[in-house]
Amino acid sequence: LSINSNEAPLDFGQPVTGKIPSGAAGLNYSLEPWDKSRLNFSYMGNGIDKFLDQYVTSQNFTPGSSFEKSEHSEGNNRSLTHRLSANFRGETDSFNLFTFNASGKLGDNKNDTKLQSEIYQAEALQNKLNNKNTVWGDVAELGGTAGWTRKGKGNWPLLQARLEGAYTQNKEE
């Protein structure tokens, strides 16, 4: 093996493999409490717990000296989210239709990272970095709609009214 200044550096990097535990579950339930009406409930939950422990070393050889960088990083990302919704649709007669929808979400996230890095040139330490970071956040959402539709005759064949509302709270530190 011969290396000179006109050649590109060699890279023997390999892909990072590992396991990421995750899961999800859902449940739907529908019923018709009376004629021309329908009620639905839905739940969805999902989560992930990802851990990465990685070592990276790179070396460049130049005439007269060498350059080396070594890095160790650890990261753990955990997330859990719950979603719930309810929907109602009902007709009181052949002219009036009422709809109600409500939904909510709760989420929790935490991300821990740690990085250690050293750079050497000609076996002399040039730079050293130690970094640790933790970020966590919560989210809460709530929303809903209510609607009324009336079928008519003449100049007003269809009349609709709709009311919507939403609330979101995000907290991150």
Side-chain angles (χ1 to χ4, degrees), residues 65-123:
S65 68
S66 64
F67 175 84
E68 181 178 337
K69 178 181 178 182
S70 66
E71 187 174 277
H72 175 219
S73 61
E74 291 180 6
N76 193 5
N77 185 357
R78 292 178 299 279
S79 174
L80 184 61
T81 304
H82 301 279
R83 293 175 183 85
L84 182 66
S85 67
N87 306 300
F88 174 77
R89 175 187 169 104
E91 295 180 22
T92 56
D93 53 35
S94 61
F95 295 103
N96 293 295
L97 170 68
F98 293 94
T99 58
F100 300 97
N101 302 309
S103 63
K105 173 184 172 183
L106 291 174
D108 177 46
N109 298 304
K110 185 174 182 183
N111 191 5
D112 295 317
T113 56
K114 185 169 74 170
L115 173 68
Q116 298 171 328
S117 175
E118 294 179 346
I119 297 175
Y120 293 90
Q121 184 170 7
E123 298 185 19

Side-chain angles (χ1 to χ4, degrees), residues 133-145:
N133 190 21
T134 299
V135 177
W136 65 270
D138 295 324
V139 63
E141 295 177 0
L142 186 61
T145 61

